Amino acid sequence: MRHSTTHSESPIVSWYRGLFMHMPCMDSLDVLEETLIGVDQNGTIASILSPTADNYQQTLQMVRQNGSLQQMTPRQLMIPGLTDLHVHAPQWPQLGMALHLPLQDWLERYTFPLEARYSDLDFARQVYASLVSTLLANGTTTAMYFATLHEEATELLASTCLELGQRAHVGRVAMDHAGQCPDYYRDADARAAIAASERSIRAIRGLDNNRSALVKPVITPRFIPSCTNELLTGLGELASDTHCHVQTHCSESDWEHDHVLQRLGKSDTQALADFGLLTRHTVLAHSNFISDHDMALIHEAGGGIAHCPLSNSYFANSVFPLRRALQKSLRVGLGTDIAGGHSASMFDSCQHAVAVSRLLESGVDTRLPTTERGSSASRIDFLEAFHLATAGGAEVLDNPTGSFQVGRQFDALLLDLDNPDNRLDEFQHAASWEDLLGCIIHNAQPCNMQQVWVAGHCVAAGSGDGFARS
Ligand code: GUN
Ligand code: FE
């Protein structure tokens, strides 16, 4: 691909030169060698120059002289920042805990008691700072968060993302169903829940340092079982009034899917559509049991799906039909589902997405004949998973991130193969760019993430030497 400069309203303040890999489209890896990328004051990529561009040498000389060039070493490369579409921020302290339980028991015995503790803002401050900085160190430049039903702690999560520089979508959880939510952790009633959600949207949009809307509010009915029809109707109206994002769990497990069918006589997707909660700005977590009709509804509304392969392996009794969704042109990204999933790494999510797709395709019950075991043509490969974790997730959120293109925000990771603690240096002789990226996705650790940028700002830096001198 050849690139040349386009002009920007605001001056270019930083230039980066070296190897960039990204996947704007799912079907091919795009590799930019010895390329110069210029980022303006607003964090927007204002110029991409390949070595064959007319003004490449002249620009290189100029930016070397004026000190704005950061030159990668031959052992460094950049990829776009990673987007995690489904994180329960308050569940960070229970990472890896009690995953042997069925979802309902896990929620009742572990999750709800933990989430109720976020009335304590000191506790919330500690946990949220730890979570957001860990995700940034893992290269997650955008996260979509469920918070708790506490307005103050939800605002604190949004402020923490702003302070630490993470692009985020933050939702106050709404849950008012007396039969499904414990007395100690429930909205008083639908009206109170809707009012609190509305205030939370205003508070996040109005945060002092949020003028560029780096952090956006999200209408967040936990899932249909925990919400009354009155609440779901009110939140649908709120979505239409505020044009806010919406997130919820959709057709996650046998229990949850059947519960909604029995209560409402229709699928989660159909119900969400009828409540006004399925829009272009909706992200449906899991969606394992969605039918072809549900997929058509999601496609028509333009909604997106957060595929959470690790969490699904524990709680969902199923594998999300990813290939089927992609064939129907649904927008899909990946989510860790912390703490239903026990890893904070989106590279791990990529690995899990590939692994479960292989199991779905081949099937697992060896008592059945090979040809009857699985669901044919379901697999994805690591490149497709990488696309989902970068450009795919960004597309679901309509964020201008996820690839290196003029006009997009510079959300990026600098990977260094030379970190003394790493597991990557033995791969320096990979035979192809695809092989190298495969090694990175399967082996890179936070110590390999030399620097992480969101909107042009460096928000995390590793322990190595950083860039070579220009
Ligand atoms: N369904 C409702 N709440 C939750 C949750 O916290 N985690 C998961 N995985 N599923 C849910
Ligand atoms: Fe979840």
Side-chain angles (χ1 to χ4, degrees):
M1 212 190 262
R2 297 255 160 100
H3 298 280
S4 61
T5 314
T6 54
H7 295 287
S8 159
E9 299 288 303
S10 100
I12 294 180
V13 289
S14 305
W15 289 88
Y16 304 93
R17 178 167 177 253
L19 175 65
F20 299 83
M21 286 193 196
H22 66 159
M23 282 191 76
C25 304
M26 200 169 204
D27 49 11
S28 67
L29 176 65
D30 192 20
V31 180
L32 314 175
E33 292 179 74
E34 291 300 315
T35 294
L36 266 168
I37 290 191
V39 179
D40 75 15
Q41 256 172 347
N42 303 321
T44 305
I45 298 175
S47 178
I48 300 181
L49 296 177
S50 70
T52 53
D54 291 345
N55 50 351
Y56 180 86
Q57 285 303 337
Q58 190 192 352
T59 307
L60 179 57
Q61 203 174 9
M62 179 190 74
V63 300
R64 269 185 177 142
Q65 273 167 6
N66 72 17
S68 61
L69 177 65
Q70 302 192 49
Q71 168 73 52
M72 288 179 236
T73 71
R75 309 269 292 138
Q76 294 178 331
L77 69 145
M78 281 199 203
I79 61 169
L82 304 163
T83 290
D84 188 338
L85 285 182
H86 189 53
V87 184
H88 293 269
Q91 296 175 17
W92 184 231
Q94 70 175 50
L95 199 74
M97 211 179 280
L99 292 172
H100 60 288
L101 294 176
L103 176 60
Q104 277 169 285
D105 295 352
W106 184 76
L107 290 174
E108 271 170 36
R109 287 172 51 190
Y110 286 83
T111 307
F112 293 155
L114 173 59
E115 291 195 10
R117 291 181 61 192
Y118 288 76
S119 54
D120 176 349
L121 289 181
D122 287 335
F123 178 63
R125 190 170 290 111
Q126 246 180 356
V127 172
Y128 290 160
S130 160
L131 169 66
V132 174
S133 54
T134 304
L135 292 188
L136 284 171
N138 275 278
T140 300
T141 48
T142 301
M144 189 167 207
Y145 290 112
F146 277 55
T148 59
L149 50 71
H150 311 98
E151 288 172 65
E152 292 87 352
T154 301
E155 191 176 328
L156 187 81
L157 174 58
S159 305
T160 305
C161 295
L162 285 170
E163 271 159 34
L164 297 177
Q166 189 180 43
R167 195 180 295 281
H169 298 249
V170 174
R172 188 202 84 94
V173 173
M175 43 195 284
D176 71 329
H177 199 294
Q180 291 294 326
C181 311
D183 291 343
Y184 65 85
Y185 188 54
R186 187 175 73 223
D187 284 306
D189 56 38
R191 277 178 54 168
I194 296 158
S197 295
E198 189 172 6
R199 282 194 299 272
S200 181
I201 291 167
R202 251 187 278 124
I204 292 171
R205 283 182 171 164
L207 283 169
D208 267 352
N209 45 354
N210 198 19
R211 252 166 254 125
S212 64
L214 192 72
V215 176
K216 296 191 168 77
V218 192
I219 293 168
T220 307
R222 184 174 203 110
F223 61 161
I224 291 176
S226 62
C227 301
T228 61
N229 291 358
E230 191 187 346
L231 174 55
L232 294 164
T233 305
L235 293 180
E237 286 164 7
L238 192 59
S240 146
D241 292 345
T242 58
H243 307 289
C244 224
H245 279 81
V246 174
Q247 62 181 345
T248 192
H249 297 89
C250 173
S251 292
E252 179 177 3
S253 63
D254 275 317
W255 172 81
E256 189 269 337
H257 184 64
D258 291 346
H259 178 97
V260 175
L261 281 177
Q262 276 181 15
R263 180 177 128 193
L264 298 174
K266 48 188 152 183
S267 69
D268 285 47
T269 307
Q270 182 70 61
L272 291 167
D274 294 348
F275 284 121
L277 287 164
L278 184 58
T279 76
R280 168 79 193 181
H281 305 303
T282 297
V283 179
L284 302 171
H286 307 288
S287 307
N288 301 304
F289 289 83
I290 57 175
S291 64
D292 284 349
H293 177 65
D294 292 332
M295 287 196 188
L297 285 175
I298 296 167
H299 187 257
E300 195 184 316
I305 292 172
H307 173 34
C308 307
L310 181 58
S311 157
N312 288 344
S313 301
Y314 287 101
F315 286 138
N317 327 107
S318 62
V319 175
F320 172 63
L322 173 60
R323 178 62 71 198
R324 195 151 54 89
L326 293 172
Q327 278 163 351
K328 291 181 185 295
S329 303
L330 295 192
R331 296 186 300 156
V332 184
L334 299 180
T336 56
D337 195 19
I338 291 168
H342 55 72
S343 167
S345 160
M346 287 302 293
F347 284 157
D348 285 355
S349 282
C350 291
Q351 296 165 32
H352 295 131
V354 171
V356 300
S357 79
R358 300 289 291 262
L359 297 180
L360 180 61
E361 178 169 303
S362 55
V364 293
D365 186 348
T366 50
R367 291 168 304 180
L368 295 173
T370 316
T371 50
E372 290 170 26
R373 246 180 252 154
S375 176
S376 65
S378 290
R379 71 171 65 185
I380 62 157
D381 64 26
F382 71 93
L383 287 174
E384 291 168 309
F386 176 68
H387 167 84
L388 295 180
T390 51
E395 264 170 49
V396 166
L397 295 171
D398 287 317
N399 275 342
T401 60
S403 60
F404 298 113
Q405 294 183 65
V406 170
R408 300 226 161 188
Q409 289 276 288
F410 187 71
D411 287 20
L413 318 183
L414 174 69
L415 292 157
D416 193 331
L417 307 185
D418 261 346
N419 188 293
D421 305 322
N422 80 9
R423 296 165 62 205
L424 288 181
D425 55 345
E426 60 215 74
F427 299 118
Q428 57 183 298
H429 302 301
S432 66
W433 297 127
E434 283 82 1
D435 282 355
L436 179 63
L437 185 61
C439 294
I440 289 169
I441 290 170
H442 291 91
N443 296 285
Q445 304 292 318
C447 68
N448 299 113
M449 301 195 188
Q450 191 64 48
Q451 286 192 56
V452 180
W453 292 264
V454 174
H457 294 290
C458 179
V459 294
S463 56
D465 292 334
F467 284 98
R469 297 240 169 264
S470 57

